[in-house]
């Protein structure tokens, strides 16, 4: 018999407080939630075991895999989660072989009971949740970097420290530094992934991307993993199959080593949470490479494929051999559209732009600085973050639409699909709306902000720059913690503040960083530009 769940790690959580029924709003069952808690408890046990014992060459990757698999909308498959639990427990046996034969349990190595966390004092639970959800986001970025052969020992070592801290009987004074360190480590991890991507695929350059789909067989690839896209492009080359990105894969069109493939045609679909409608009866397969998977509907269940840490019951999973033959065969079988199909973004636009990473923006820094000095650019807005289905997210579309013509809107992550097809015109020879890339490309925004602050000989908080962020899941948590680590203040956050942040912790953030919930576009714009 299925039992009740407790989960409040993402923004869509029921009643803005927590999913406590037989299934979460995301579609995750109570049984799956229990297994994810068991996996997390096992990871904490493994981390503690490594406190006094040397890890093996496999331990880091097992920790990262386990954390990544517990992100929202990544893994709905109980079998794969059980396998991960087995891997974690098996690794702990290798790290501390004597424990399996020991008749006396001890807290040094035993798996952690997550109910202790969920039933703890609300302030302690809040800070530990910030650490846990934050390192889940960091682990996703570390995973993508590792796929390309890039690792950072300091980042990997922090996972053990953070996991162990969750099991400690610590107060707020001891936990808060670990919360802030999570943001510091995430900055290093985003820098690592930025270097991995640019050194592997080239420096992103502005690209106009069509939202239409040409007739004939095609494949839609979604998620974040650029290496998976590269392998798919290699395996489909010359087969008469076009490839279209979806969701956070859109920025791939800006990378020289990816856009050189002529059959990488454009981007399909709008916001990721519209997939159940947009994939219905789609005459093409969809390959999920990372999070953003929603419960699969019968109307397209025969054409969904997963890889990496993504898994869903009964869907075909592409393993470590990365042989995409089943996806290719399904594309040829379905045949695609009989004629070219014109699609639009949420606001009716037929194309979108991407590729305005720090390499591009800083390449025209003199132009930007002169535009600010002359008064042509009055203000910069960073409007981005992780998107969700909540109706109130229309705020971001209206906010961007109402920004004055002498302002620039920088955006990144999947929240941009609310407005990235809007034509805001140009300013100082630059587009007023510039997509900087995926959620991890918050690093680009940080690089640009720091460079501008140096150019104007001021602090980042003194720049004519405001951050209006949407939050949905764990990657948004670690990015927010990075901004706090850097001392960045005056952030507007919404559409609701995280349910796991207690009133006392929220008051701390408001008092020390002036983080405020969004209100209305009109009111917030007036306040910012006053």
């Amino acid at each position: 018999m299925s039992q009740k769940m407790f989960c409040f790690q993402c923004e869509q959580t029921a009643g803005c407080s927590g999913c406590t029924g037989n299934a979460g709003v995301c579609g995750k069952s109570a049984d799956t939630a229990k297994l994810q808690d068991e996996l997390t408890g096992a990871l904490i046990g493994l981390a503690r075991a490594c406190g006094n014992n040397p890890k093996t060459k496999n331990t880091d990757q097992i920790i990262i895999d386990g954390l990544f698999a517990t992100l929202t909308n990544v893994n709905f498959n109980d079998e794969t989660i059980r396998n991960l639990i087995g891997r974690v427990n098996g690794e702990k046996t290798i790290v501390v072989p004597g424990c399996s034969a020991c008749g006396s349990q001890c807290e040094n190595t035993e798996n952690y009971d997550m109910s202790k966390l969920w039933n703890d004092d609300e302030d302690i639970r809040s800070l530990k949740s910030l650490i846990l959800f934050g390192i889940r986001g960091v682990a996703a970025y570390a995973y993508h970097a590792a796929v390309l052969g890039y690792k950072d020992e300091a980042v990997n070592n922090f996972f053990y420290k953070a996991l162990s801290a969750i099991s400690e009987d610590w107060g707020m004074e001891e936990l808060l530094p670990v919360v802030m360190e999570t943001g510091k480590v995430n900055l290093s991890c985003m820098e690592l992934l930025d270097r991995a991507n640019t050194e592997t695929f080239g420096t992103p350059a502005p690209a106009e991307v069509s939202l239409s789909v040409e007739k004939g067989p095609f494949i839609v690839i979604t998620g974040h993993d650029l290496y998976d896209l590269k392998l798919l492009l290699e395996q489909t080359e010359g087969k008469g199959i076009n490839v279209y990105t979806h969701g956070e894969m859109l920025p791939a069109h800006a990378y020289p080593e990816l856009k050189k493939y002529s059959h990488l045609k454009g981007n399909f679909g709008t916001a990721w949470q519209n997939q159940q409608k947009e994939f219905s009866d789609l005459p093409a397969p969809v390959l999920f490479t990372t999070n953003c998977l929603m419960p699969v509907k019968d109307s397209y269940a025969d054409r969904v494929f997963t890889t990496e840490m993504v898994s869903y019951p009964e869907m075909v999973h592409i393993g470590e051999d990365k042989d995409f033959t089943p996806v290719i065969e399904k594309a040829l079988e379905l045949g695609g559209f009989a004629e070219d199909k014109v699609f639009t973004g949420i606001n009716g636009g037929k194309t979108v732009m991407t590729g305005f990473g720090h390499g591009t923006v800083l390449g025209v820094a003199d132009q930007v600085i002169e535009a600010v000095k002359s008064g042509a650019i009055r203000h910069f807005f960073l409007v981005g973050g992780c998107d969700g289905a909540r109706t109130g997210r229309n705020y971001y579309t209206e906010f961007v639409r109402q920004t004055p013509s002498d302002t620039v809107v920088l955006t990144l992550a999947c929240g941009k699909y609310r407005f990235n097809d809007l034509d805001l015109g140009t300013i100082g020879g630059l587009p007023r709306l510039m997509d900087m890339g995926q959620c991890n490309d918050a690093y680009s925004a940080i690089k640009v902000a720091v460079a501008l602050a140096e150019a104007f000989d001021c602090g980042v908080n003194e720049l004519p720059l405001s951050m209006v962020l949407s939050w949905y899941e764990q990657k948004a948590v670690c990015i927010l913690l990075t901004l706090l680590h850097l001392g960045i203040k005056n952030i507007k956050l919404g559409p609701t503040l995280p349910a796991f942040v207690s009133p006392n912790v929220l008051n701390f953030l408001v008092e020390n960083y002036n983080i405020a919930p969004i209100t209305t576009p009109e009111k917030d714009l007036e306040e910012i530009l006053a």
Side-chain angles (χ1 to χ4, degrees):
M1 181 176 178
S2 182
Q3 58 182 324
K4 302 295 184 181
M5 71 187 297
F6 174 73
C7 182
F8 62 174
Q9 68 176 340
C10 78
E11 177 267 336
Q12 67 183 343
T13 189
C16 298
S17 59
C19 294
T20 56
N22 294 320
V25 175
C26 70
K28 177 174 61 182
S29 72
D31 290 336
T32 303
K34 178 180 179 296
L35 285 170
Q36 290 188 346
D37 272 358
E38 185 179 338
L39 172 57
T40 304
L43 290 168
I44 292 172
L46 176 57
R48 291 179 65 92
C50 292
N52 297 310
N53 302 276
K55 61 187 179 182
T56 76
K57 64 179 182 179
N58 300 318
T59 315
D60 288 348
Q61 194 60 51
I62 290 172
I63 291 278
I64 291 170
D65 288 355
L67 287 170
F68 190 4
T70 57
L71 260 73
T72 305
N73 296 93
V74 170
N75 202 313
F76 294 80
N77 194 328
D78 292 357
E79 180 181 354
T80 59
I81 299 173
R82 289 191 186 97
N83 288 338
L84 279 167
I85 294 170
R87 283 179 62 198
V88 174
N89 288 331
E91 182 68 10
K92 188 172 70 172
T93 300
I94 296 172
V95 171
V96 282
C99 284
S100 59
C102 179
S104 302
Q105 287 189 338
C106 69
E107 293 186 357
N108 289 332
T109 60
E110 69 178 353
N111 293 350
Y112 181 70
D113 180 0
M114 291 295 288
S115 66
K116 294 179 181 178
L117 172 57
W118 307 141
N119 293 300
D120 210 334
D121 169 83
E122 67 173 357
D123 292 331
I124 301 302
R125 182 178 66 218
S126 180
L127 292 176
K128 288 185 175 181
S129 294
L130 280 168
I131 296 169
L132 175 60
F133 302 157
I135 61 173
R136 285 175 173 174
V138 179
Y141 298 145
Y143 184 98
H144 296 312
V147 166
L148 298 175
Y150 289 71
K151 299 179 182 181
D152 185 321
E153 192 68 14
V155 171
N156 290 345
N157 287 340
F158 180 72
F159 292 129
Y160 299 84
K161 176 180 179 178
L163 284 167
S164 297
I166 293 166
S167 67
E168 297 288 353
D169 186 21
W170 287 353
M172 293 183 68
E173 298 79 9
E174 297 155 301
L175 289 170
L176 192 56
V178 185
V179 171
M180 293 305 168
E181 189 176 358
T182 305
K184 177 182 178 181
V185 170
N186 184 58
L187 179 62
S188 297
C189 195
M190 287 195 298
E191 188 278 332
L192 177 72
L193 181 53
D194 176 82
R195 182 158 50 87
N197 284 337
T198 54
E199 291 181 359
T200 304
F201 306 114
T203 300
E208 184 175 27
V209 183
S210 172
L211 301 181
S212 297
V213 177
E214 296 180 11
K215 66 179 180 180
F218 67 98
I219 296 170
V220 174
I221 181 169
T222 187
H224 302 72
D225 202 291
L226 301 177
Y227 187 62
D228 281 332
L229 173 58
K230 181 177 185 294
L231 294 177
L232 181 64
L233 289 167
E234 290 175 349
Q235 294 179 36
T236 51
E237 193 168 22
K239 290 184 168 64
I241 299 173
N242 290 327
V243 175
Y244 292 84
T245 56
H246 173 269
E248 284 271 64
M249 200 64 84
L250 167 66
H253 293 273
Y255 288 91
E257 290 302 309
L258 296 175
K259 67 180 181 181
K260 72 181 183 181
Y261 291 92
S262 61
H263 60 300
L264 178 60
K265 290 292 186 178
N267 193 77
F268 173 81
T270 56
W272 71 270
Q273 69 271 8
N274 295 331
Q275 65 187 255
Q276 291 176 325
K277 178 178 68 175
E278 294 178 345
F279 291 168
S280 180
D281 300 319
L282 185 72
V286 182
L287 175 63
F288 284 86
T289 67
T290 56
N291 52 315
C292 300
L293 173 67
M294 297 178 72
V296 180
K297 298 292 187 182
D298 291 341
S299 59
Y300 59 93
D302 67 324
R303 59 208 66 186
V304 167
F305 297 82
T306 61
T307 192
E308 303 291 354
M309 300 312 303
V310 188
S311 186
Y312 196 87
E314 300 181 8
M315 300 298 107
V316 176
H317 188 78
I318 307 299
E320 293 181 3
D321 62 356
K322 292 298 180 181
D323 181 358
F324 293 119
T325 298
V327 189
I328 293 169
E329 291 177 344
K330 179 60 71 171
L332 294 172
E333 173 194 333
L334 294 171
F337 294 112
E339 301 293 339
D340 293 353
K341 295 276 286 188
V342 176
F343 294 99
T344 69
I346 289 177
N347 304 287
K350 295 180 180 180
T351 63
V352 292
M353 291 288 293
T354 190
F356 292 93
H358 61 86
T360 295
V361 177
L362 295 181
V364 292
D366 291 344
Q367 188 176 340
V368 173
I369 292 167
E370 180 56 36
V372 174
K373 288 181 177 179
S374 69
I377 296 178
R378 175 170 41 144
H379 206 86
F380 295 89
F381 297 98
L382 176 62
V383 185
C386 300
D387 200 16
R390 193 177 297 277
T391 303
R393 289 181 182 271
N394 294 335
Y395 164 96
Y396 299 95
T397 306
E398 292 308 312
F399 186 96
V400 170
R401 198 192 304 271
Q402 294 177 36
T403 54
S405 59
D406 57 355
T407 62
V408 171
V409 178
L410 305 173
T411 188
L412 46 83
C414 53
K416 63 176 171 276
Y417 278 95
R418 297 281 178 174
F419 50 79
N420 69 336
D421 63 321
L422 290 173
D423 182 4
L424 300 185
T426 61
I427 182 171
L430 300 169
R432 279 194 57 228
L433 177 60
M434 292 188 272
D435 173 21
M436 307 191 83
Q438 297 180 340
C439 51
N440 53 283
D441 289 314
Y443 178 73
S444 274
I446 291 168
K447 288 270 288 185
V448 169
V450 170
L452 288 176
E454 291 176 353
F456 290 107
D457 193 24
C458 67
V460 171
N461 290 315
E462 299 171 85
L463 287 171
L465 168 68
S466 300
M467 297 192 179
V468 183
L469 306 178
S470 60
W471 95 274
Y472 173 72
E473 43 93 281
Q474 299 80 2
K475 293 178 181 178
V477 174
C478 66
I479 291 172
L480 177 62
L481 294 180
T482 293
L483 297 177
L484 301 186
H485 156 70
L486 292 170
I488 294 175
K489 300 182 179 182
N490 302 314
I491 299 170
K492 295 285 187 181
L493 185 66
T496 58
L497 295 177
F500 53 81
V501 176
S502 68
N504 285 334
V505 173
L506 177 59
N507 287 338
F508 171 83
L509 296 177
V510 170
E511 291 174 5
N512 290 275
Y513 297 95
N514 197 24
I515 291 178
I518 59 174
T519 57
T520 66
E522 296 81 6
K523 182 178 179 180
D524 288 341
L525 275 168
E526 181 180 358
E527 176 186 326
I528 290 170
L529 295 173

